[in-house]
Amino acid sequence: VTAINGNFRLMGVIGDPIKQARTPDNINPIFEARGAAMVCIPLNIPAAHLATVWAGLKGVKNLAGFGVTLPHKQSALALCDSLDPLAERVGAVNVVRREADGGFRGYQFDGLGFVNGLRTEGHDPAGREALMVGAGGAAMAIAFALVEAGVTRLAIANRTMEKARDIADQVNRVTGSEIAVAERAEPKPGQLLVNATSLGLNPDDALPFDPALIDDTMTVAEVIAKPEETRLLALARDRGAKVHSGIHMIRGQAQLIADHLIAVGS
Ligand code: NDP
C-alpha cells in the first residue's frame, strides 16, 4: 500500500487467529486500482473482547466497515444494528458496513464470492448439476448462492447428516428450491463438485470425494484457499477434471466487498 494519509478510510478484518486472513492482500490492490483512499488492516480480536471492540469501532469515524472471520461470523449477527436479508437467512455475517446513517449493517458475501469466482474462471454454475460436501457456515452460504445462480439440481452430503438436512430445509423454505440430501458423496458425470468442508487444510486430511469417481466431465471446486491446490484438486486434475481453487472465492469476494465499501461515504 502506498502513502496512507489522513484522508484514508479504514477497513478492518476481525478474527482470532488473524494471521491466515487473505482479505488484506487481496483487497488492498483493488482499493488502489480503483483509486479509493482506503486501506484494509487485520485486527486480531479474541471472542471475549468482541463486544467491547465492536462498541469502540463505532467511534472510529473513518472506519468504512470490516470483514468478519472465524470465530465471529455468528456472534456478529446480534451486534449489528441491521442485517441484510441474505445474512439473516444464512445466519452469519462476514462483512459489516457503516451505512450513511452511521449504523453497522451486516452482510454475507461468502456464497456470492464463491459464485463470482466460478464465473470469473469460466465455470458458471448456471444450468449445471452440483454435489456439495459439507454443511457448515460456508456450505450454507454457498447453497443459497448456487440456487440463486441457477444450478438445475443440488445435493448436499455431510459427515453429520442432520446438518445437511438443516441446510436443505432452510434454503428450500426460503427459495422454493428442491435441494436434496445425499447419503454418500458419489459424483455423477457432468457435475460441479464442491468441497465446502475444512478437509484439505492439512495434507493428511481425508478426501471429501473418492477421486476414482471423478472424470473429465466434472468441475471440482474448493473452499480451501491455503494450500491453493489441495490434494483433492491435484488428484482431480490428474483425472482430467477442471479444477477451481478456494483462492477464487476470496478474490471473487474481494471485488464485491471493495465495491460495496467504496460505495458509501466516498
Ligand atoms: P464449519 O466448521 O462451519 O464446517 C466445517 C465442515 O467441515 C462441516 O461440514 C464438517 O462436518 C466438515 N468436516 C470437518 N472435519 C471433518 C472431517 N474430519 N471429516 C468430515 N467432515 C469434516 O466451517 P466453515 O463452513 O465456516 O468453513 C469450512 C471451510 O471453508 C474452512 O476450511 C474455511 O477455511 C473455508 N472457507 C473459505 C472461504 C474462502 O473465501 N475461500 C470462506 C469461508 C470459509 P460436520 O458437520 O460433520 O462436523
Side-chain angles (χ1 to χ4, degrees), residues 42-94:
L43 300 170
N44 188 358
I45 316 290
H49 294 300
L50 180 65
T52 318
V53 171
W54 191 285
L57 290 174
K58 271 284 180 68
V60 182
K61 292 302 178 197
N62 65 336
L63 181 83
F66 47 95
V68 181
T69 187
L70 297 177
H72 306 314
K73 287 185 179 191
Q74 279 82 25
S75 25
L77 278 173
L79 294 169
C80 289
D81 298 309
S82 66
L83 292 172
D84 182 70
L86 182 59
E88 202 161 5
R89 285 173 193 162
V90 169
V93 161
N94 82 327

Side-chain angles (χ1 to χ4, degrees), residues 70 73 110 134-139 158-160 163 196-199 201 223-225 246-247 249-250 253:
L70 297 177
K73 287 185 179 191
D110 277 327
N158 192 46
R159 176 177 65 178
T160 312
K163 286 172 64 184
T197 72
S198 44
L199 292 174
L201 283 172
V223 292
I224 306 292
I247 192 69
M249 181 172 174
I250 292 177
Q253 286 203 59

Side-chain angles (χ1 to χ4, degrees), residues 4-252:
I4 300 169
N5 60 43
N7 293 320
F8 269 62
R9 290 191 301 144
L10 302 181
M11 172 188 177
V13 181
I14 62 169
D16 186 31
I18 200 65
K19 278 188 180 152
Q20 80 296 349
R22 303 290 302 270
T23 305
D25 51 329
N26 280 284
I27 209 163
N28 280 322
I30 301 174
F31 286 146
E32 197 163 356
R34 301 264 212 282
M38 292 181 66
V39 62
C40 177
I41 51 166
L43 300 170
N44 188 358
I45 316 290
H49 294 300
L50 180 65
T52 318
V53 171
W54 191 285
L57 290 174
K58 271 284 180 68
V60 182
K61 292 302 178 197
N62 65 336
L63 181 83
F66 47 95
V68 181
T69 187
L70 297 177
H72 306 314
K73 287 185 179 191
Q74 279 82 25
S75 25
L77 278 173
L79 294 169
C80 289
D81 298 309
S82 66
L83 292 172
D84 182 70
L86 182 59
E88 202 161 5
R89 285 173 193 162
V90 169
V93 161
N94 82 327
V95 172
V96 171
R97 183 172 77 172
R98 186 198 299 278
E99 303 296 317
D101 64 4
F104 278 0
R105 186 170 174 86
Y107 295 87
Q108 171 52 250
F109 283 94
D110 277 327
L112 301 172
F114 180 76
V115 165
N116 194 27
L118 281 175
R119 289 187 180 132
T120 306
E121 293 299 300
H123 307 304
D124 193 335
R128 291 191 77 169
E129 272 193 26
L131 172 62
M132 176 169 73
V133 182
M140 175 74 95
I142 290 171
F144 270 107
L146 286 177
V147 166
E148 179 69 21
V151 290
T152 51
R153 289 196 64 217
L154 172 60
I156 306 175
N158 192 46
R159 176 177 65 178
T160 312
M161 288 283 289
E162 307 92 82
K163 286 172 64 184
R165 167 60 53 207
D166 288 347
I167 292 185
D169 288 349
Q170 166 73 349
V171 180
N172 291 343
R173 190 176 56 76
V174 172
T175 68
S177 58
E178 295 181 357
I179 295 178
V181 171
E183 281 192 24
R184 281 181 303 278
E186 272 180 9
K188 305 262 167 21
Q191 280 182 331
L192 167 66
L193 308 179
V194 179
N195 174 35
T197 72
S198 44
L199 292 174
L201 283 172
N202 303 304
D204 51 355
D205 281 349
L207 291 165
F209 296 99
D210 178 356
L213 300 176
I214 295 176
D215 68 29
D216 62 5
T217 66
M218 301 169 186
T219 302
V220 183
E222 269 288 3
V223 292
I224 306 292
K226 203 173 181 181
E228 279 193 30
E229 181 163 280
T230 56
R231 196 156 66 91
L232 171 69
L233 291 191
L235 290 166
R237 187 194 296 282
D238 285 348
R239 297 192 55 87
K242 296 191 178 72
V243 299
H244 182 81
S245 168
I247 192 69
H248 302 300
M249 181 172 174
I250 292 177
R251 291 183 184 144

